[in-house]
Amino acid sequence: MWFIFALLSAVFAALTSILAKVGINGVNSNLATAIRTVVVVIMAWGIVFLTNAQNGLSGISRKSWLFLILSGLATGASWLCYYKALQIGEASKVVPIDKLSVVITLILAFVFLHETFTTKSLIGCILIGAGTLIMVL
């Protein structure tokens, strides 16, 4: 089931890039990010209430709050940078560089989460990095 959600995430991320590139034309990238964020917040809280998940708020630990807030700040910084890059660059070049996050995530997961970094992971990182360079150059 995780694979289906991951695949859907990739499809929606691709749509996000294309729709954003069209929508950001003539709009300040920070303003565009703020508009997008409001839509995401409304949608996310709508799903929380629709699934009755709001009852779990009181059970969230301080550590989880801290890391969820830090994750939100990282997301915001990522979106601001992404929209600025999309506004001034070509989507076909911005998106591959953005996807280097896969390589960075694998490295951070190895260093901080002590996840296994296999030969297959190393080869994948090298191929993603090389593929990105080829697409951008």
Side-chain angles (χ1 to χ4, degrees):
M1 192 64 166
W2 66 266
F3 181 79
I4 293 169
F5 283 112
L7 191 58
L8 287 170
S9 174
V11 169
F12 288 124
L15 283 172
T16 298
S17 302
I18 300 304
L19 296 170
K21 182 64 178 175
V22 174
I24 204 167
N25 188 26
V27 179
N28 176 281
S29 63
N30 295 328
L31 177 60
T33 303
I35 292 167
R36 173 190 182 193
T37 302
V38 168
V39 172
V40 170
V41 166
I42 292 168
M43 186 177 124
W45 278 106
I47 291 170
V48 165
F49 286 107
L50 187 68
T51 61
N52 204 29
Q54 72 274 11
N55 298 330
L57 271 172
S58 61
I60 299 174
S61 70
R62 285 186 147 181
K63 178 182 176 184
S64 288
W65 272 110
L66 173 65
F67 281 93
L68 289 171
I69 290 167
L70 291 173
S71 174
L73 291 171
T75 298
S78 172
W79 287 0
L80 288 167
C81 293
Y82 184 73
Y83 264 54
K84 187 64 175 177
L86 266 182
Q87 187 172 51
I88 59 179
E90 297 175 29
S92 61
K93 292 188 176 166
V94 170
V95 173
I97 293 171
D98 177 64
K99 296 310 170 197
L100 280 176
S101 63
V102 172
V103 174
I104 297 166
T105 299
L106 288 173
I107 293 167
L108 293 175
F110 172 73
V111 172
F112 293 108
L113 303 177
H114 309 291
E115 291 186 4
T116 305
F117 199 78
T118 63
T119 303
K120 184 170 63 171
S121 300
L122 178 61
I123 292 169
C125 284
I126 291 168
L127 290 172
I128 290 170
T132 300
L133 284 175
I134 290 168
M135 291 178 76
V136 172
L137 297 177

